[in-house]
Amino acid sequence: MLGFPSMELQLTPLRSLPLHYRTTTKATATATANTVSACSVESQALKPRPQLPRQAPFHSRRRSSPVHFPSLCAAIERLVAEGRHREACDALRDARAGAPFVVLPASTYDALVTAASALREAGSAAGVLWHMESSGFQPDQYMWNRVLGMYLVCGMLAEAREVFDGMPTRSRVTWGVMMGGLVDAKRPRGALALFRELWEELGVGAGPRVVVVAVRAATVLGSVHAGRELHCCVAKMGMCEDQYLPCALIDMYSKCGRIDEARRVFDGIPWRSVVAWNTMLAVYSLHGRSEEALDLYHHMCESGAGLDQFTFSTMLRIFSRLGLLEHAKQIHAGLIQSGLQMDIVGNTALVDLYCKWGQMEDARHVFERMPSRNLISWNALIAGYGYHGMGSKAIEMFERLLAEGIAPNHVTFLGVLNACRFSGFIDKGKRIFQLMTQNPKTKPRAMHYACVIELFGRQGLLDEAYSVIRKSPVTPTANMWGALLTAGRMNKNIQLARLAAEQLLAMEPQKVNNYIVLLNLYMNSGKRDEALTVVSTLKRAGLSMSAACSWITVKKKDHRFFFNDSLNPKSSEIYQRLDTLMEVIKELGYVIEEDELLPDILPDEQKTLKMFHSEKLAVAFGLISTSPSAPLTINQSHRLCHDCHNVIKFVTQVTKREITVRDASRFHHFKLGTCSCGDYW
């Protein structure tokens, strides 16, 4: 016997009225009353039809000489096949009004059960069963299971349990349907209690599909104890070779946070289907263990297991997280060559990946070739255009979305407002924000107000920016104060920036970046004493900057650089090329930024060591390691400093190279001495 603790099923007490005469809505109750008082067509004497005895069993109530309506049945079945479920139920209601006891064939009742289940309406479900009973239809085991599933889908748990208890025979499918309905209704304890009953009755004869449902119940419950007991049942029953049961166990252990146990189940599968591989990949992806997912994917390819759309979708997310753009392109090319079409999830993941890594033409190409799109697909492309400073294209896609009759959500508005923010489109941004406020379903949130604050700040409208915070119906968040801080810093308004910085420090006292911004704010204003005070405060709090890192991919290999790095085999060439570049750009007017300060470097050392920042080293490495016309893409873990930003602009002017830098806040596209951010970040 399974020892599941305290899993009693708690259902609404059954009413004394038998199920077959009970309805759950006013509409169905009225229909029943109308039927009982219907006049006899044969007598034409306007006498009410005698009411059937309530205690009569379900299959003993029949009408002599039943009437069949083939055209009605064909119409109902056709409507359901076309997905017109409401019309199918309306057709049954009209038939009941004209001839309450007409007999329908099993196929029509099956279609009506499908319609009621799709509508998820208790009244429609009760009406279908009432018609079955009143016509004397005798359901077989299949139809009993269908009725049971219909009640469960419509949320009629008490009625479903009465049907379950009153069924003349119950197959393993019946138990599975009842348990699955309880799990879907967030009643996992009830489902496990039912499985305990089944186990006591059938033992190993319960079957793997029912055990899968029980494992799913343990997953929803979050009980690793119950899951382990079910795992023991699986071992005793010898069901490890079943295709789906091990996958359910892997998912259960994953949702309970036991990743190593999930992997042991996977390793114990004698024959791994693509479903098993995908399940384990999804586990690693869900828990952020991207390197392990990548390693497992390579083993999957070596094993000869077939890859499907789910594999590609999962791995695209992994590649995006790891920044493996070339891997993503290879898997995309392999997908096209195999003729396998990706589903909407996979295509959207590919659009998102290309957007995140600056390949906007590829992202747009995938988007336009998608056979179908959802709002997430649109949001990914709009947000991508925004972060890359392509505000016009983002607004173009937003207007196209509206023209196609698709309702934008909060994510859509955030993407297009970000596009206006990054591109400085203040008038369009204000218009879009106004459009958002006019719709009660898209009431602006704090993140949208932050975009508007920075939008005003970019144009130097500091009074309007501060007014947004003061008049906002939402409590100001760190993002909103951060946007105001950026506005004050970029416009040299020390009072406003200091106010925002103090608010940020009060909200996030452990966030080092807030101290760094305040530190450089004082340096930009010539207040070196106040800047050194911030440095002292930072050190007393025991906070320190994490090592800044920049990396560039050359010939499918990542090359990482840190501040003053000398570990790269080409270090001498890197520093030599950097020295040469610095001499050239000085002749073009470059002047080193002296008003930025890092808390871990003494002020007197700043001027000398700024040329050794990791992003400069990565750029120099890219220049000596690629062809003269190849564009460069630099990724970094920190915010791009002003001096490096200025240097890279001059480098693109000298080398005629395009350089893209993805820092902690956005993309910077440098070309011929300009940057897509407009020097505001």
Side-chain angles (χ1 to χ4, degrees), residues 573-612:
E573 297 178 59
I574 292 172
Y575 283 102
Q576 183 178 357
R577 183 61 183 273
L578 193 56
D579 288 337
T580 303
L581 281 172
M582 298 302 289
E583 293 298 326
V584 173
I585 65 176
K586 285 177 181 177
E587 295 178 1
L588 294 177
Y590 163 73
V591 178
I592 191 169
E593 294 273 356
E594 298 184 10
D595 54 0
E596 282 188 294
L597 186 67
L598 297 177
D600 55 347
I601 301 175
L602 295 176
D604 294 338
E605 299 175 343
Q606 292 288 322
K607 186 172 182 179
T608 305
L609 296 180
K610 278 193 174 182
M611 68 176 295
F612 303 144

Side-chain angles (χ1 to χ4, degrees), residues 186-198:
K186 308 301 181 186
R187 306 286 287 274
R189 291 184 181 276
L192 289 172
L194 274 183
F195 180 75
R196 182 175 58 187
E197 293 179 30
L198 178 63

Side-chain angles (χ1 to χ4, degrees), residues 26 57 126 185 194 312 336 379 422 430 467 484 498 518 525 550 577 614 628-629 681:
K26 182 177 179 181
L194 274 183
F312 292 121
I336 296 174
N379 289 347
F422 288 141
K430 290 168 64 176
S467 178
L484 188 65
R498 183 174 182 174
L518 184 59
S525 305
S550 301
R577 183 61 183 273
S614 62
S629 60
W681 78 102

